[in-house]
Amino acid sequence: MMKNQSQWKTSTGFILASAGSAIGLGAMWKFPYMAGVYGGGAFLLLFLIFTLLVGLPLLIMEFTVGKMGRTYTTKIYEKLTARKWLNIIGWNGNLAVFILFAFYSVIGGWIIIYLFKVLMQLVTFNDSALSKINFDQIITNPWLTIVGQGIFILLTMIIVMLGVEQGLEKASKFMMPLLFICLIIIVIKSLSLDGAMAGVRYILEPRLDDISVKGILFALGQSFFTLSLGTTGMITYASYASKEMTIKTSAISIVIMNILVSVLAGLAIFPAISAFGYKPTEGPGLLFKVLPSVFEQMSFGTLSYFVFLILFLFAALTSSISLLELNVSNFTKNDNTKRKKVAVIGSILVFLLSIPATLSFGSLSHIQFGVGSIFDNMDFLVSNILMPLGALGTTLVVGHLLKIEELKAHFGRDKFKLFIPWYLLIKFVLPVVIVVIFIVQFI
Ligand code: PFF
């Protein structure tokens, strides 16, 4: 370990970590629930367009900035542009991940509670009662949910305290492929259910009438969320990476994996929704309500569900780690001797903020404002305001303040002549797209 700055041992370490940050609850939990509310196939189409035309160039941008700046993100903007006030983009990211971690841990907590419930059924050989796990009862139980999210935050904290490279690099090499395999098995089972085709059509057929302004906004927010954009989290990971990291290949593979996992999650959930008569508009509980019914149809269903939940938890943790890691890297200024203290303090603060988020499913559910509950508003504030703002700030810095030759040098080998189109997108097109969509949501 380097004294002042954690560094990946290999460039695969960097790819695994940033893929780990990207692939998490966003693709598996949030995508199906958003698609269910905002038009199924129409939402998928918008999400694909935004992910490829907006998300991918922005991810390449964040990696380039990290590789150029090589420091923590509340300093990197000053280092690159000699303008101290631009560090505000880093602070915006810090605030975003702080709030994000708080509501993210609510869902992480649900996974942990389900894990325990399923484990209890496993040890009592109660193989057919998965769908008896009562979701509504769980999320309205304040103590249970607070303990669940506390455990989730604690696990994240412990891993971050151990330091970047030891953390997860090794584990994700086999956990991620296993998660893919597990998802494919669920999809196959789901597709074989009677009545599955209606759900397949719902998620794959883009009915253009279903496109709404809200759908467009939330699809863009979803692309930011799943690719961890605009928080500067990806800049942080790229700043840790070795010099030989390949920016474009890494970004493209992360985007492809993310799309794949999102589509697989959709194909796991929607056929089961139509087969079992659930509503696609269930909201945040969708995945937790639907999947037990699918596993119940499998032989060794309880055991398989348990394995799935472990992999799901792992994917959520590799993302939450990047959330806490960003705060740790900024508040320790990459001085590893302060890592433990900052990780503990940050986690306690996140835990406190996560309590109103979890209670908004129970005793605080009557508090409705803005886009809905406290939880909904936290998500909206992060995915639709702070993340786009952060990304906008970085596009302006990259497009208008950094030297094009230097960017080109860090962009790497350019066999397909992608640099100029990418640069023009970042300089002229994407800031306008983000601003327009940003303004539309307030009209
Ligand atoms: N991309 C993560 C997910 O989809 O679960 C969430 C996330 C992680 C967002 C890290 C932002 C971030 F900086």
Side-chain angles (χ1 to χ4, degrees):
M1 185 188 286
M2 279 172 55
K3 201 162 137 267
N4 290 324
Q5 166 125 8
S6 303
Q7 180 145 20
W8 309 109
K9 282 190 220 84
T10 59
S11 66
T12 19
F14 159 71
I15 298 190
L16 287 169
S18 36
S21 165
I23 297 166
L25 297 180
M28 296 205 301
W29 156 79
K30 197 174 173 196
F31 174 76
Y33 119 59
M34 284 276 156
V37 179
Y38 296 105
F43 186 87
L44 174 61
L45 179 68
L46 291 169
F47 169 72
L48 289 177
I49 294 174
F50 284 140
T51 302
L52 293 172
L53 298 183
V54 181
L56 178 60
L58 290 181
L59 188 57
I60 293 177
M61 170 187 81
E62 296 209 355
F63 285 167
T64 312
V65 170
K67 194 179 172 195
M68 277 173 81
R70 306 210 142 263
T71 188
Y72 53 98
T73 59
T74 46
K75 170 85 185 197
I76 205 166
Y77 293 91
E78 180 187 353
K79 186 172 170 194
L80 290 172
T81 66
R83 288 172 176 81
K84 192 164 184 191
W85 67 276
L86 287 173
N87 287 335
I88 193 169
I89 306 170
W91 288 110
N92 170 80
N94 237 31
L95 178 68
V97 294
F98 183 69
I99 303 171
L100 204 161
F101 190 12
F103 73 81
Y104 207 80
S105 69
V106 174
I107 316 298
W110 293 354
I111 304 178
I112 289 178
I113 296 166
Y114 268 71
L115 255 177
F116 278 110
K117 297 237 169 214
V118 175
L119 182 67
M120 290 317 287
Q121 296 193 355
L122 262 184
V123 293
T124 53
F125 298 102
N126 192 352
D127 208 26
S128 64
L130 282 179
S131 56
K132 292 217 173 62
I133 302 178
N134 188 329
F135 177 76
D136 293 317
Q137 222 170 38
I138 291 176
I139 61 163
T140 49
N141 180 334
W143 296 115
L144 188 63
T145 45
I146 289 174
V147 168
Q149 74 202 32
I151 297 177
F152 183 77
I153 295 172
L154 196 70
L155 287 174
T156 309
M157 188 188 87
I158 292 171
I159 301 167
V160 169
M161 278 165 61
L162 297 180
V164 171
E165 60 269 57
Q166 297 142 353
L168 292 188
E169 203 171 318
K170 290 184 213 106
S172 47
K173 269 190 202 147
F174 60 88
M175 293 298 260
M176 285 295 190
L178 273 181
L179 181 64
F180 263 107
I181 296 170
C182 199
L183 270 176
I184 289 170
I185 295 172
I186 307 172
V187 170
I188 294 172
K189 185 72 211 175
S190 223
L191 290 176
S192 72
L193 297 167
D194 279 344
M197 271 336 272
V200 175
R201 251 180 276 122
Y202 181 81
I203 186 64
L204 292 186
E205 212 176 275
R207 295 160 306 275
L208 298 184
D209 294 349
D210 288 350
I211 295 183
S212 60
V213 175
K214 266 193 156 173
I216 297 175
L217 295 176
F218 282 105
L220 182 71
Q222 178 64 17
S223 298
F224 277 93
F225 192 92
T226 44
L227 292 175
S228 310
L229 292 171
T231 61
T232 68
M234 289 306 204
I235 298 181
T236 307
Y237 271 5
S239 77
Y240 290 161
S242 62
K243 292 236 166 53
E244 318 80 72
M245 70 182 268
T246 48
I247 288 181
K248 284 160 290 177
T249 332
S250 309
I252 291 172
S253 44
I254 289 167
V255 165
I256 292 176
M257 278 190 274
N258 227 315
I259 291 178
L260 262 180
V261 174
S262 303
V263 172
L264 284 176
L267 286 175
I269 303 273
F270 287 97
I273 289 179
S274 60
F276 296 118
Y278 289 100
K279 291 197 304 282
T281 49
E282 285 287 348
L286 185 69
L287 176 115
F288 292 88
K289 288 187 176 171
V290 174
L291 278 190
S293 307
V294 181
F295 279 101
E296 216 169 57
Q297 304 287 317
M298 293 184 190
S299 27
F300 302 107
T302 312
L303 182 62
S304 315
Y305 191 34
F306 185 74
V307 173
F308 168 77
L309 286 170
I310 297 264
L311 297 169
F312 190 26
L313 178 64
F314 181 85
L317 280 171
T318 52
S319 301
S320 61
I321 283 159
S322 72
L323 296 168
L324 186 57
E325 182 62 42
L326 178 69
N327 272 309
V328 166
S329 122
N330 282 332
F331 284 104
T332 59
K333 302 187 183 294
N334 281 339
D335 173 357
N336 270 327
T337 55
K338 300 198 189 114
R339 172 171 277 275
K340 287 199 172 80
K341 194 165 118 200
V342 171
V344 172
I345 296 173
S347 302
I348 293 174
L349 292 176
V350 163
F351 177 64
L352 294 177
L353 187 64
S354 72
I355 294 175
T358 207
L359 294 183
S360 73
F361 290 96
S363 55
L364 298 183
S365 62
H366 59 282
I367 301 180
Q368 297 282 329
F369 60 100
V371 291
S373 65
I374 298 175
F375 180 95
D376 296 333
N377 278 290
M378 284 168 92
D379 185 0
F380 182 81
L381 173 63
V382 172
S383 312
N384 295 75
I385 297 182
L386 298 178
M387 290 174 123
L389 271 185
L392 175 66
T394 310
T395 55
L396 296 177
V397 166
V398 170
H400 298 275
L401 295 177
L402 300 188
K403 289 207 185 70
I404 186 166
E405 306 78 47
E406 231 177 286
L407 281 168
K408 195 165 191 323
H410 284 91
F411 190 79
R413 223 158 46 100
D414 193 16
K415 204 159 85 195
F416 299 107
K417 304 266 170 284
L418 292 174
F419 178 76
I420 292 297
W422 170 79
Y423 183 71
L424 294 176
L425 262 182
I426 296 292
K427 192 174 171 105
F428 298 113
V429 184
L430 295 188
V432 177
V433 171
I434 297 172
V435 168
V436 168
I437 295 187
F438 193 78
I439 291 173
V440 166
Q441 68 193 327
F442 293 107
I443 297 177

